[in-house]
Amino acid sequence: MNTLSSVQLAPGGPVFSPVAAGLWRLHDWGFSTSELAAWVEHAIHLGITTFDHADLYGGFRCEALFGQWLKANPGQRQHIQLVSKCGIKPLDASRGWQVKHYDSSRAHILAAVDASLQNLGTDYLDLLLIHRPDPLLDPDEVADTFASLKQSGKVRHFGVSNFSPSQFALLASRTALLTNQVEASLLHSAPLFDGTFDQCLQAGIRPMVWSPLAGGRLLQPTSHPALHAALQQMAAELAVTPATLALAWLLRHPARPIPISGSRRLASLDEAAAACRLQLDRQHWFALLAAAQGQAVA
């Protein structure tokens, strides 16, 4: 099996796989130790070596579950890249959080990183993202915190998630940001047109993409019948699965996004890897866009 070629997230930045494996549902998958090992090792075998986490995934339990595998396989750390996110505090009276809120303060970022490192069983993160734009974010404080984390060796690179272009530009004026992880798919194409992907192209960085299959809705005939039919027909023509085709549609964009595949199925990892080898021509790409939007471009 041919493994995927690695890509650089930004000039001078880390080398990631062209698609990432997402762990936000790991706690719900109910994997045994051997099943988790099989899933992670299948991803690595395909060349999917970037694993996307966040501290609060699975009620703050997913990182520790993945960490069980990594602690049992410490020699694999040099072959994988770990991404995590922090800054969301859900309603949790046991933690003293009486209302869901965001926290981009220095104290919280530092504490969150230490917790993620302990749970994951590693001494550094390849990439740390601020999970959501915080209206109370102080860009100078965050920049100083990032600098401290980099100097300590705990985090090698930084970015954000779900930031608008202006929010990204503000923080990027104070510290180097290597990605903006945003939602994008054939059913959520806003980043292609609202300046998000344009900004990544301008900065020479790759966006990361969550929910690239719209949470599975792209594959359901009742969600968007016209798009579903177009995906089915074109996928049959190209001898790929509809999921591979939908991911290849994203990968075709010149911003070179990195989709995150978040399914427990080994076949979903195979489909994500196959998408990296499928180069859509312009007519196929625009045909899918027209099906998604219900009309051809003007």
Side-chain angles (χ1 to χ4, degrees), residues 192-213:
L192 284 69
F193 305 107
D194 67 8
T196 300
F197 280 9
D198 294 342
Q199 183 177 53
C200 291
L201 278 164
Q202 185 177 34
I205 64 175
R206 289 177 181 257
M208 298 182 73
V209 170
W210 60 270
S211 200
L213 299 178

Side-chain angles (χ1 to χ4, degrees), residues 144-215:
D144 181 69
T145 305
F146 284 178
S148 297
L149 286 167
K150 188 162 189 174
Q151 183 175 18
S152 69
K154 293 180 179 181
V155 182
R156 296 188 172 179
H157 304 279
F158 303 90
V160 295
S161 183
N162 304 299
F163 274 45
S164 70
S166 63
Q167 291 163 339
F168 183 97
L170 173 60
L171 187 54
S173 72
R174 306 298 206 277
T175 186
L177 301 177
L178 270 62
T179 194
N180 189 4
Q181 185 180 123
V182 297
E183 180 183 7
S185 70
L186 273 161
L187 290 181
H188 188 82
S189 59
L192 284 69
F193 305 107
D194 67 8
T196 300
F197 280 9
D198 294 342
Q199 183 177 53
C200 291
L201 278 164
Q202 185 177 34
I205 64 175
R206 289 177 181 257
M208 298 182 73
V209 170
W210 60 270
S211 200
L213 299 178

Side-chain angles (χ1 to χ4, degrees), residues 2-274:
N2 294 326
T3 58
L4 305 177
S5 298
S6 299
V7 299
Q8 202 164 28
L9 196 59
V15 174
F16 278 13
S17 51
V19 293
L23 282 301
W24 76 280
R25 288 175 172 162
L26 177 57
H27 184 266
D28 298 330
W29 293 346
F31 277 158
S32 65
T33 300
S34 61
E35 287 172 332
L36 174 59
W39 187 88
V40 175
E41 289 160 15
H42 187 69
I44 294 172
H45 177 65
L46 292 170
I48 301 174
T49 57
T50 300
F51 294 89
D52 183 75
H53 298 269
D55 58 355
L56 85 164
Y57 285 169
F60 294 90
R61 291 171 290 191
C62 288
E63 287 184 326
L65 290 174
F66 187 89
Q68 292 175 9
W69 170 83
L70 187 55
K71 290 170 185 176
N73 299 273
Q76 290 282 14
R77 180 64 184 96
Q78 62 182 318
H79 303 299
I80 66 174
Q81 305 82 46
L82 296 179
V83 181
S84 194
K85 298 176 282 291
C86 70
I88 299 178
K89 290 183 173 178
L91 172 63
D92 187 341
S94 67
R95 297 173 183 263
W97 302 341
Q98 303 302 323
V99 61
K100 180 180 179 180
H101 61 288
Y102 303 140
D103 190 344
S104 58
S105 68
R106 176 183 177 87
H108 178 67
I109 293 173
L110 293 177
V113 167
D114 284 343
S116 289
L117 294 177
Q118 180 177 359
N119 288 330
L120 288 168
T122 185
D123 56 1
Y124 71 95
L125 295 174
D126 294 275
L127 180 67
L128 174 70
L129 311 178
I130 301 296
H131 204 158
R132 292 276 177 178
D134 174 11
L136 299 180
L137 182 149
D138 180 333
D140 295 308
E141 180 182 10
V142 171
D144 181 69
T145 305
F146 284 178
S148 297
L149 286 167
K150 188 162 189 174
Q151 183 175 18
S152 69
K154 293 180 179 181
V155 182
R156 296 188 172 179
H157 304 279
F158 303 90
V160 295
S161 183
N162 304 299
F163 274 45
S164 70
S166 63
Q167 291 163 339
F168 183 97
L170 173 60
L171 187 54
S173 72
R174 306 298 206 277
T175 186
L177 301 177
L178 270 62
T179 194
N180 189 4
Q181 185 180 123
V182 297
E183 180 183 7
S185 70
L186 273 161
L187 290 181
H188 188 82
S189 59
L192 284 69
F193 305 107
D194 67 8
T196 300
F197 280 9
D198 294 342
Q199 183 177 53
C200 291
L201 278 164
Q202 185 177 34
I205 64 175
R206 289 177 181 257
M208 298 182 73
V209 170
W210 60 270
S211 200
L213 299 178
R217 289 183 293 123
L218 275 175
L219 309 180
Q220 299 170 1
T222 57
S223 180
H224 193 310
L227 177 57
H228 182 266
L231 282 168
Q232 293 286 333
Q233 180 179 348
M234 193 179 297
E237 173 189 339
L238 298 174
V240 297
T241 68
T244 289
L245 178 58
L247 293 171
W249 184 85
L250 280 170
L251 289 164
R252 178 65 175 80
H253 194 277
R256 303 169 300 161
I258 296 176
I260 301 168
S261 176
S263 170
R264 75 188 308 277
R265 297 169 52 248
L266 296 182
S268 293
L269 295 171
D270 296 330
E271 290 173 329

